[in-house]
Amino acid sequence: MTTHVRLRRADAQGGADLARLVALYGGAARWMRSRGIVQWQPGGKDEEHFRLRMKEGEVWLAEAGGVAVGAYELWWDDEPAWGVQPPVAGYVHRLMMDRATAPPGLGRTLLARAERRIAEAGRELARLDCLTSNPRLRAYYEEAGYRVVGEQPAKDGGPGGASYGVTLLERRL
């Protein structure tokens, strides 16, 4: 049975979407931790984080049956990972889903929608990064048509910040 997923831009007004995004992030972080992936921290992103991402870029929320099942952030630049770049790409961040309620294939659906949005904005590349020490996630993105174009070594995450290296991937649209 196919579950209909509705994708829409998240809205900071009223706070309901902000709470949903915080919950999705927390659930994804706990799922990672349960599998030994040390990257996202439960409680590591609050409503203010998502409010800022909505102001500086776009945040998209996927719902099925009125329940938030996934989300992602779309940035129009990413200097910390990619350095100063010409405006030719969109950067997908925090692709996340609720493992208990998300329909199968939601990750690829969200990625395809992000790519479509990037192309609609007149940009030719979709870029993302993943934890260098997570070969399974890297393979997932490579199977989706992304190619490795570099690596960013671990940096000091600062007080309370995580420190880890990332693999840089991109896909021509």
Side-chain angles (χ1 to χ4, degrees), residues 130-154:
C130 71
L131 194 63
T132 300
S133 62
N134 189 341
R136 185 172 167 202
L137 184 57
R138 176 180 164 168
Y140 176 83
Y141 288 130
E142 287 179 322
E143 289 166 9
Y146 286 76
R147 66 183 183 88
V148 174
V149 295
E151 293 209 3
Q152 187 66 261

Side-chain angles (χ1 to χ4, degrees), residues 3 31-32 35 38 40-41 67 84 103 139 147 149 151 163:
T3 304
W31 181 86
M32 286 180 189
R35 281 151 182 79
V38 180
W40 293 1
Q41 306 292 324
V67 175
V84 176
R147 66 183 183 88
V149 295
E151 293 209 3
S163 186

Side-chain angles (χ1 to χ4, degrees), residues 19-45 96-100:
R20 290 181 185 114
L21 291 163
V22 169
L24 280 167
Y25 178 88
R30 285 187 295 281
W31 181 86
M32 286 180 189
R33 291 282 171 171
S34 74
R35 281 151 182 79
I37 302 167
V38 180
Q39 182 176 0
W40 293 1
Q41 306 292 324
K45 301 295 177 202
M96 55 189 165
M97 54 225 79
D98 179 339
R99 299 289 177 158

